[in-house]
Amino acid sequence: MNLDELRADASAGRTDTVLLVLTDMQGRLQGKRMTARHFLEEVVEHGAEACNYLLAVDVDMNPVEGYAMSSWERGYGDFEMRPDPSTLRRVPWQEGTAMCVADIAWADHAPVVASPRQILRRQMERLGERGWEAFAGTELEFMVFQDSYEQAWDGGYRNLTPANRYNVDYSMLGTARVEPLIRRIRNAMADAEMQVENSKGECNFGQHEINFHYGPVLQAADAHVIYKNGAKEIAAQEGMAITYMAKFDEREGNSCHIHLSLREGETPLFAADDGPLEAFMAGLLATLRELTLLLAPNVNSYKRFAVGSFAPTAIAWGVDNRTCALRLVGHGPSRRVECRVAGADVNPYLAVSALIAGGLHGIDRGLSLEPAYEGNAYLSDKPRVPATLREAAELFGSSDIARDAFGDEVVSHYLNNAHVELEAFDAAVTDWERYRGFERL
């Protein structure tokens, strides 16, 4: 959808609302619902304001300490939401509604460098300096429950009813049970100008996946967050619930496999062995531990890294080997790297930024790629993915590579976000503790 089409729709009464949205640190859409007329007459040219605390809160939207850009001392002022017209699209699951993604800037129009979209733009610029462009596709797994979000909340997220009672990985029979919901999500996303490829069942009970065609990395990240938000809204409209938690229970977690490749003009750079592929992958291996925080941002993210679970524990690469953190897939022009570290709770802008930064480190340093791992990498002696958020935060905070790639401001901002998450978790009393200790300790 372009601005002229929106003007025509608004004049005809087909579209009356425009959602102006940004992506916060947690990868969620935040923003304002505007009348289409106000958006067209004022906001397209001048932007709109939003409180800068949107990049300085926890998951519960509580203002927290430790952020340089936003605090009580600085008065929690505004930043500007600057619409990116190239992202304008209809929102088929909301009546008379369109959506536009915004970039975030300060009052002097300087970019807010810690905003996820700006972090990715910076890594795109680094590629552009070489004449390169990155393309990505993300594969989001999720679990579907027959309970509504309100019922799940009221029940403390216990005794929920999964949409499938058994493993429906690739099952036609099992996925048919949930097809009314999944089909509606697929078609709604296609109507919102996203190129849907397929859906399939997964291993955990009620677990499914919908996949989209790859695209330029910024476009792919935008589509990721719009789809994730939209799928939840559609499930809620159907009286059901979807979770993208990395690890909902002790069975298989929800992954977000990220496929990444580079081009120079129309030329795929990973197609040939003598291109930058090997140095790029060597850089990913060398930096993965230090940059895992941007791929696994929550306490729960690290519960997913379990042996024999199709979630990686070993920092190794292999050719079509799902036991490795990095999997080389495809042939010729479609050759690409699949990173299997991120869970479905990931912020795609940050994750893709981490992968680009790691790959460029390998190219700039001329790193050599170790031989592909053959066999079960879970049992290898390779370095391990960080086991906890605390370990990942320590590695990220002490990483010169992260500071060189993202700058001190970005590193400090997301390190503080990790510390906020850890402090909240350390203060919580869990069900596990109650079951273990209420009577028996």
Side-chain angles (χ1 to χ4, degrees):
M1 189 183 205
N2 58 41
L3 288 171
D4 288 338
E5 290 171 326
L6 177 59
R7 290 187 183 97
D9 273 12
S11 296
R14 292 187 294 268
T15 300
D16 54 60
T17 301
V18 176
L19 313 180
L20 184 64
V21 300
L22 60 86
T23 303
D24 68 7
M25 290 190 294
Q26 289 78 19
R28 305 174 298 185
L29 292 184
Q30 310 285 11
K32 297 181 177 182
R33 281 180 160 81
M34 301 178 168
T35 64
R37 178 177 178 178
H38 176 66
F39 177 80
L40 288 165
E41 293 180 356
E42 299 289 340
V43 177
V44 169
E45 181 177 357
H46 302 293
E49 292 75 33
C51 181
N52 61 34
Y53 98 134
L54 289 172
L55 289 179
V57 292
D58 64 12
V59 174
D60 291 322
M61 301 300 291
N62 296 313
V64 291
E65 298 295 330
Y67 291 108
M69 62 169 277
S70 183
S71 65
W72 292 115
E73 288 72 23
R74 298 190 63 172
Y76 283 116
D78 285 343
F79 45 43
E80 294 182 348
M81 300 174 68
R82 309 293 300 182
D84 179 349
S86 71
T87 67
L88 188 63
R89 70 191 72 217
R90 294 180 179 88
V91 181
W93 56 94
Q94 298 285 356
E95 185 177 357
T97 300
M99 178 188 294
C100 187
V101 178
D103 286 304
I104 310 171
W106 297 113
D108 63 359
H109 306 304
V112 177
V113 297
S115 65
R117 207 165 190 258
Q118 184 59 37
I119 291 171
L120 181 53
R121 281 193 182 279
R122 173 62 190 124
Q123 299 310 306
M124 292 166 60
E125 289 168 2
R126 295 181 67 205
L127 288 171
E129 292 166 1
R130 297 164 168 81
W132 297 349
E133 184 179 9
F135 288 75
T138 60
E139 300 175 342
L140 270 177
E141 294 175 349
F142 54 89
M143 293 174 64
V144 181
F145 296 94
Q146 293 179 343
D147 315 79
S148 70
Y149 281 111
E150 289 75 18
Q151 290 169 335
W153 174 283
D154 292 342
Y157 301 99
R158 302 180 188 91
N159 302 316
L160 302 184
T161 303
N164 301 98
R165 309 306 202 270
Y166 54 85
N167 183 329
V168 297
D169 193 23
Y170 289 96
S171 168
M172 291 290 99
L173 177 64
T175 53
R177 308 284 177 84
V178 196
E179 177 62 1
L181 172 65
I182 303 300
R183 178 176 180 269
R184 187 181 168 199
I185 295 173
R186 285 198 314 265
N187 290 342
M189 297 306 142
D191 290 344
E193 302 180 42
M194 288 181 264
Q195 191 173 345
V196 183
E197 290 189 344
N198 60 67
S199 62
K200 64 179 288 291
E202 287 290 344
C203 298
N204 204 342
F205 302 154
Q207 190 177 47
H208 296 261
E209 176 181 279
I210 299 176
N211 294 319
F212 296 80
H213 197 64
Y214 70 90
V217 287
L218 189 63
Q219 175 185 311
D222 289 341
H224 175 119
V225 294
I226 292 169
Y227 152 58
K228 186 175 179 181
N229 188 82
K232 289 181 180 180
E233 291 184 356
I234 292 169
Q237 291 169 6
E238 297 291 335
M240 303 174 77
I242 283 174
T243 184
Y244 291 93
M245 286 182 66
K247 192 78 167 176
F248 174 75
D249 56 20
E250 287 73 24
R251 288 181 57 88
E252 295 84 2
N254 289 321
S255 70
C256 176
H257 301 147
I258 301 172
H259 294 250
L260 189 68
S261 61
L262 299 181
R263 288 185 192 173
E264 185 172 25
E266 297 298 319
T267 303
L269 294 179
F270 288 174
D273 290 335
D274 59 354
L277 172 63
E278 292 195 359
F280 193 91
M281 289 189 65
L284 292 177
L285 292 172
T287 61
L288 200 49
R289 277 177 53 81
E290 295 175 43
L291 302 183
T292 292
L293 181 65
L294 300 184
L295 294 156
N298 303 304
V299 167
N300 180 257
S301 307
Y302 295 82
K303 305 291 180 71
R304 184 176 147 268
F305 301 138
V307 172
S309 68
F310 290 100
T313 58
I315 297 178
W317 81 278
V319 178
D320 198 15
N321 186 340
R322 285 183 168 88
T323 70
C324 298
L326 300 177
R327 175 176 169 243
L328 187 63
V329 293
H331 306 278
S334 69
R335 205 176 189 197
R336 61 198 184 274
V337 179
E338 178 193 59
C339 179
R340 300 177 61 81
V341 174
D345 59 337
V346 74
N347 184 322
Y349 301 93
L350 303 181
V352 173
S353 295
L355 298 181
I356 294 172
L360 287 179
H361 172 78
I363 288 171
D364 290 344
R365 297 295 180 91
L367 299 184
S368 298
L369 182 63
E370 64 188 45
Y373 191 85
E374 298 180 1
N376 185 354
Y378 288 115
L379 306 180
S380 72
D381 60 357
K382 296 294 184 183
R384 301 284 115 175
V385 175
T388 64
L389 178 62
R390 184 169 280 104
E391 181 184 1
E394 291 172 355
L395 289 165
F396 185 72
S398 61
S399 171
D400 291 335
I401 294 168
R403 294 185 185 276
D404 288 343
F406 306 118
D408 290 341
E409 182 177 347
V410 169
V411 170
S412 297
H413 195 89
Y414 286 91
L415 191 59
N416 190 66
N417 184 51
H419 291 157
V420 167
E421 170 87 352
L422 285 165
E423 289 171 7
F425 181 73
D426 289 343
V429 178
T430 66
D431 282 354
W432 180 85
E433 292 168 279
R434 292 190 184 96
Y435 277 111
R436 189 177 178 86
F438 188 90
E439 176 182 350
R440 291 172 290 175
L441 295 183

